Amino acid sequence: MTVRVRRIYDPPEPDDGVRVLVDRLWPRGVAKDAAHIDEWPKGLTPSTELRRWYHGGGGSYDEFVERYEAELTAPEAARLLDHVRELARAGDVTLLTASTSPDESQASVLLRLLDRR
């Protein structure tokens, strides 16, 4: 089983497995029927406050990771993270983001946490 991160703007691939959108907002310019999204767990995404802080240039990626990991301990987020972890145990999972820097986004944080399985 493989967990990977891809941009939502990339076309779906046969080995994507379950496609999980990990952005709180729907990506601009992507038609819902063309996105081939299997799951969109909004409660697993960074809060609006954290997202605005990070994208507004409020702090470093390391601080974002710290704050986001703290948010992931909330009951709903922890339950959703466990759900995605179960999907990853059952087969391939692709975490999708619209971020222009997926390596410095919530997707990379989730990938690292899911790789710990």
Side-chain angles (χ1 to χ4, degrees):
M1 278 76 48
T2 302
V3 180
R4 68 182 58 84
V5 172
R6 296 187 63 222
R7 293 195 70 225
I8 186 72
Y9 302 105
D10 298 332
E13 293 184 1
D15 62 346
D16 280 349
V18 178
R19 293 170 53 90
V20 181
L21 180 61
V22 294
D23 291 348
R24 183 167 294 266
L25 303 175
W26 187 261
R28 291 181 187 175
V30 177
K32 289 189 179 184
D33 59 337
H36 302 282
I37 300 298
D38 297 305
E39 306 230 356
W40 186 15
K42 291 181 187 177
L44 184 61
T45 65
S47 66
T48 299
E49 295 79 21
L50 180 57
R51 184 178 50 78
R52 286 181 179 159
W53 171 83
Y54 182 53
H55 294 296
S60 69
Y61 176 68
D62 291 335
E63 190 173 352
F64 168 77
V65 170
E66 226 175 89
R67 290 180 181 201
Y68 183 41
E69 286 180 347
E71 288 186 354
L72 291 172
T73 63
E76 180 187 9
R79 179 184 59 76
L80 290 168
L81 182 59
D82 285 342
H83 172 69
V84 175
R85 190 173 282 123
E86 288 301 316
L87 292 173
R89 286 186 183 126
D92 294 333
V93 171
T94 300
L95 305 175
L96 299 165
T97 182
S99 174
T100 57
S101 302
D103 292 340
E104 290 190 350
S105 72
Q106 66 276 7
S108 66
V109 175
L110 294 171
L111 176 64
R112 184 175 45 78
L113 294 174
L114 292 168
D115 277 347
R116 289 184 188 168
R117 293 179 239 194

